[in-house]
Structure formats: C-alpha cells, structure tokens
Amino acid sequence: MTDEILALLRRSKRAIVFSHHNPDGDALGSSAGLALTLNQYGCRAAVHLAGSWSEHLGFLLDGLEVDEKLDEISQYDLAVLLDCHSFDRLGPGGRTVAAKLRNAYPPIPLVVVDHHLEGDDERPEGALLLRSESSST
C-alpha cells in the first residue's frame, strides 16, 4: 500500500466503502474486511452496495453499518472505491455518487483499490492502488 493511502486510512474517523454493482464474493469480502479493520482502528466505517448479491454471501455484512441512501455524504471524511476502479462500475447511481463526493464540503478524499484494469472507464482522481497481477482485492 502506498504511504498516501495508509495516511488517509489512519487519519479517517468516518469512512464510506463502495464496491462494484452486483457485488460478488470478492467485492463483499474485501468491503467487509476493510470496514471491520477500520472499525477496529477507531474509524467508524459504513459500506454502500448497489444492485444485488447472492443470499449465501449476506453473512459477510453481519454487524456492519450499511448506508443505502447516502443522504448525508458530508458525514464522511474518506471514501474508498474497493474492487472497482471507476464510479461507472458502481452501477446506475455511480455518476450521482461521484457528483456527491465532488460537491461535498469539506472535500472528501478518495482511495481507489482494484485489480481490474479493463475498460475505458474514466478513472477518478484520488489515491490509486491498482494491481492487475492480483487475483482478487
């Protein structure tokens, strides 16, 4: 992990973790793992998921805060795109999420962690950790 990403994660007191639309096991597991880790280090983390996922993976979200509506984006001091490298990958609401983060005051830093690099999607500005050689996030 880059020093910039570690510093952002350590400094955060309230983070929101996003993953791709219709999350699979990798997306759910890495989102849950990051949220649980941040919570253990004193950062209150929530997960935002869009679409649907397999019922048998729902246990991964047990005990986690899930922010379904993102009504108050300004409560967060860090946003993480996990297992996706573009807001377009968040599904139909991805552009709305991007606009909410862009227009937030104070500005909300963004961390992007992914192993998928395909596609012509617009890459967001932020601290990027993109590793195509990794099999999962």
Side-chain angles (χ1 to χ4, degrees), residues 24-33 36 56-64:
D24 54 13
D26 180 26
L28 289 171
S30 57
S31 295
L36 286 168
H56 77 278
L57 296 174
F59 75 94
L60 293 168
L61 302 174
D62 289 351
L64 293 177

Side-chain angles (χ1 to χ4, degrees), residues 2-133:
T2 68
D3 290 339
E4 179 185 11
I5 291 172
L6 285 174
L8 288 167
L9 293 171
R10 287 180 178 142
R11 190 170 48 237
S12 179
K13 299 293 181 215
R14 183 78 170 114
I16 182 74
V17 179
F18 298 93
S19 195
H20 60 75
H21 188 252
N22 296 328
D24 54 13
D26 180 26
L28 289 171
S30 57
S31 295
L34 179 60
L36 286 168
T37 301
L38 289 171
N39 286 336
Q40 287 189 352
Y41 281 91
C43 172
R44 192 169 144 222
V47 176
H48 176 81
L49 300 168
S52 60
W53 50 89
S54 179
E55 271 186 45
H56 77 278
L57 296 174
F59 75 94
L60 293 168
L61 302 174
D62 289 351
L64 293 177
E65 179 183 351
V66 178
D67 185 342
E68 295 179 14
K69 297 184 181 179
L70 295 175
D71 287 336
E72 298 192 29
I73 197 84
S74 61
Q75 70 178 304
Y76 299 106
D77 62 11
L78 180 66
V80 180
L81 284 182
L82 196 55
D83 199 33
C84 66
H85 60 273
S86 164
F87 286 108
D88 291 333
R89 300 277 188 212
L90 298 180
R95 294 289 175 165
T96 301
V97 170
K100 284 183 176 189
L101 289 172
R102 192 172 39 255
N103 296 324
Y105 186 83
I108 300 171
L110 178 66
V111 169
V112 179
V113 179
D114 196 8
H115 65 109
H116 304 105
L117 303 181
E118 74 277 349
D120 295 329
D121 300 320
E122 181 181 335
R123 298 259 161 81
E125 289 186 27
L128 305 175
L129 180 60
L130 305 174
R131 299 280 193 257
S132 62
E133 68 274 10

